[in-house]
Amino acid sequence: MTGAGLSDFGNEVTCVDIDEEKISKLEAGEVPIYEPGLDTIIERNVEHGRLRFTTDLPDSIRTARAIFIAVGTPPNEDGSADLSHVLGVAESIAEHMEGPTLVITKSTVPVGTGAKIRSILDKAGRTDASVASNPEFLREGSAIEDFQHPDRVVIGAEDEDSIQVLKQIYQALHALETPFVVTSIPSAELIKYASNAFLATKVSFINEVAALAEEVGADVQDVAKGMGLDNRIGPRFLQAGPGYGGSCFPKDTRALAEIARDAGAPFEIVETVIRVNEKVKSRMVEKVVDALGGSVADKKVGILGLSFKPDTDDMRESPSVPLLRGLLDGGAQIRAYDPEAVENAKEILENRSVEFVEDAYDVASHADAVVIVTEWNEFRALDLERLGSVMKDRLLVDLRNIYDPVQVRRKGFRIVSLGRREGDELRRERR
Ligand code: UGA
């Protein structure tokens, strides 16, 4: 995505990967992930000769003025980030570079990684190499919009030259007056983790408000709205849900907790946010079980949405997985549908017996309950008459609060949603 975005800004970009299959697919115009609009951008820039794909790392290193390291940093067992791929690329750069080269980390890397790369380059006597950090703030599903209209660009650098090279690369954003935060490398590295951890904190915070609201008879949607209208708080990332997932928040919060423990400055809020998210995920299983009268044994449960959020096929750490496992363990029979993530879901769920079907109405067929897990747009305007007519019982469990309970009840459904008591909406309607 970064390569495609940077070429769209007018830069000449070569994307390198050791995975030959991935590269030949990209060369053939096939995009190996589901990201809306990415295929168009790739096609346009390949056509203009600004974007190419290769597996030839040495040659790409020799000809590049700036190299972004965007390889994976998978979690180690203790939650810390595995840096072997990042440092491996740095070794290759040290070996093959010719002429001044700026080495930039794009991957989310622990504080201190820039220094490690510096020492690899120093050991190889590469005095004409500089190091910089330029963290990524893209969201899956809206990566292109985020890339083209970022709230800010963060540049962590060790010298003025590097800052200028990076500003030049992002020249296209100057017209939009995008703020540039220029700082040291450790600060840039920490900005990335602290931002993701703060957003995860907002999500966990509202999820705890939701649990409390159910006990005290408040409505989390109203509470979030009332809080979010305060400019100091802001309305975004205050949507209660089944817990945050994906390839970033879970991994980055755990890595930050580990970095902080290592540094002797334990990050207690983040430790709690991680625990709360686990609790939220198991609460979702209880919610569905309770909605079905205390047991799901032999109950037919339909699941709408599997990916960790809409507009992606990504199943990594998706809250749908513990939910499905919990319901299957309780003896439920599951039918599930997702517009994009079914193949990835099959891989993760391995031999668990879930029946994957073609659409929401198939999911509902003979179901005792239908559960909305991911808020894909196509689930927002279901024909409730049609859905209800094929269900055994008209019970909707809305784990993303996308439906107005009053409307759903009018269609003869029972609805259980997050952060409000079942039935309270009737009182509200009478007011
Ligand atoms: C996140 C950040 O938002 C990006 O800025 C960052 O660049 C990216 O991680 C990364 O580090 O690469 P992403 O993981 O794509 O992006 O997804 P988000 O939209 O942030 O959602 C994360 C999770 O939080 C999802 O499971 C989502 O359903 C959940 N969420 C989000 C809520 O439950 N409620 C909300 O109000 C917002």
Side-chain angles (χ1 to χ4, degrees):
M1 172 59 227
T2 300
L6 290 176
S7 66
D8 210 45
F9 282 172
N11 298 288
E12 270 191 38
V13 179
T14 304
C15 296
V16 191
D17 202 293
I18 50 168
D19 184 340
E20 291 189 3
E21 197 189 323
K22 197 186 272 176
I23 292 296
S24 45
K25 273 192 177 161
L26 283 162
E27 280 182 316
E30 277 176 55
V31 183
I33 54 164
Y34 176 74
E35 181 62 48
L38 182 56
D39 46 356
T40 319
I41 289 214
I42 292 181
E43 199 186 309
R44 180 165 69 221
N45 289 286
V46 168
E47 236 175 65
H48 283 102
R50 284 192 296 261
L51 179 64
R52 55 186 206 100
F53 302 96
T54 180
T55 50
D56 189 346
L57 183 60
D59 184 56
S60 315
I61 290 172
R62 274 192 291 272
T63 50
R65 173 67 182 93
I67 301 172
F68 286 87
I69 304 182
V71 294
T73 52
N76 289 316
E77 261 176 27
D78 61 3
S80 64
D82 173 358
L83 282 183
S84 55
H85 303 302
V86 172
L87 300 180
V89 175
E91 299 272 4
S92 302
I93 295 172
E95 189 183 338
H96 298 291
M97 62 177 269
E98 286 173 8
T101 307
L102 177 58
V103 183
I104 308 146
T105 50
K106 197 58 162 162
S107 312
T108 302
V109 289
V111 184
T113 305
K116 285 186 180 155
I117 295 175
R118 175 79 268 162
S119 92
I120 289 173
L121 295 165
D122 285 348
K123 269 192 203 135
R126 296 304 196 174
T127 46
D128 48 355
S130 317
V131 180
S133 161
N134 173 223
E136 189 67 83
F137 299 104
L138 310 180
R139 286 163 304 167
E140 288 182 32
S142 51
I144 296 191
E145 168 64 20
D146 290 351
F147 194 89
Q148 292 174 338
H149 301 98
D151 289 345
R152 77 303 204 187
V153 172
V154 173
I155 296 177
E158 24 176 44
D159 52 56
E160 189 52 36
D161 256 12
S162 311
I163 298 167
Q164 290 315 321
V165 171
L166 271 158
K167 282 196 168 167
Q168 185 61 38
I169 291 171
Y170 286 104
Q171 182 69 29
L173 293 177
H174 294 302
L176 302 177
E177 295 186 13
T178 305
F180 279 66
V181 179
V182 178
T183 180
S184 68
I185 294 176
S187 300
E189 291 168 339
L190 191 52
I191 286 170
K192 169 69 195 193
Y193 278 106
S195 302
N196 269 2
F198 192 80
L199 291 169
T201 304
K202 272 187 112 174
V203 174
S204 278
F205 190 94
I206 203 67
N207 283 338
E208 292 231 284
V209 171
L212 178 59
E214 285 170 25
E215 297 306 318
V216 299
D219 183 328
V220 70
Q221 295 299 117
D222 293 346
V223 177
K225 188 169 179 199
M227 288 169 65
L229 284 169
D230 184 326
N231 281 332
R232 294 168 303 175
I233 297 172
R236 297 170 74 189
F237 281 73
L238 284 182
Q239 177 60 52
Y244 62 75
S247 63
C248 303
F249 284 5
K251 175 168 77 77
D252 292 352
T253 44
R254 290 195 285 261
L256 181 57
E258 176 65 23
I259 293 167
R261 276 195 298 269
D262 258 15
F267 209 140
E268 292 182 22
I269 289 181
V270 174
E271 304 266 5
T272 304
V273 165
I274 297 167
R275 275 202 308 279
V276 168
N277 199 48
E278 289 310 310
K279 197 173 80 182
V280 170
K281 288 189 282 185
S282 31
R283 195 169 90 84
M284 295 304 114
V285 181
E286 285 161 30
K287 231 177 145 61
V288 178
V289 172
D290 286 351
L292 281 161
S295 164
V296 288
D298 296 322
K299 291 278 162 67
K300 291 192 169 65
V301 182
I303 300 287
L304 294 182
L306 296 161
S307 54
F308 80 99
K309 65 178 214 176
D311 297 324
T312 175
D313 59 357
D314 200 338
M315 283 294 295
R316 284 175 286 180
E317 308 245 10
S318 174
S320 68
V321 176
L323 176 65
L324 287 184
R325 290 203 174 117
L327 296 176
L328 288 166
D329 289 346
Q333 296 167 28
I334 307 268
R335 281 182 151 215
Y337 164 68
D338 186 284
E340 294 293 336
V342 168
E343 287 314 310
N344 290 337
K346 281 182 185 163
E347 249 174 62
I348 289 190
L349 292 162
E350 287 176 332
N351 49 5
R352 303 298 307 248
S353 61
V354 173
E355 190 185 346
F356 295 98
V357 295
E358 291 304 313
D359 68 19
Y361 304 100
D362 266 356
V363 156
S365 176
H366 304 288
D368 294 280
V370 165
V371 185
I372 297 173
V373 185
T374 315
E375 70 280 32
W376 285 89
N377 271 343
E378 64 176 79
F379 301 148
R380 289 179 185 269
L382 294 169
D383 177 345
L384 292 177
E385 249 345 303
R386 186 174 158 205
L387 198 81
S389 70
V390 294
M391 291 177 73
K392 181 160 169 274
D393 278 324
R394 292 188 175 210
L395 169 59
L396 187 66
V397 183
D398 181 3
L399 300 183
R400 296 284 183 172
N401 285 358
I402 58 176
Y403 275 93
D404 175 352
V406 175
Q407 306 288 341
V408 177
R409 279 166 174 273
R410 285 212 185 104
K411 302 280 179 192
F413 275 79
R414 245 187 84 205
I415 174 162
V416 173
S417 48
L418 284 183
R420 49 196 168 204
R421 278 187 196 149
E422 193 184 347
D424 269 5
E425 62 273 7
L426 289 181
R427 277 212 314 272
R428 281 156 45 99
E429 195 186 26
R430 273 188 228 115
R431 279 208 305 262

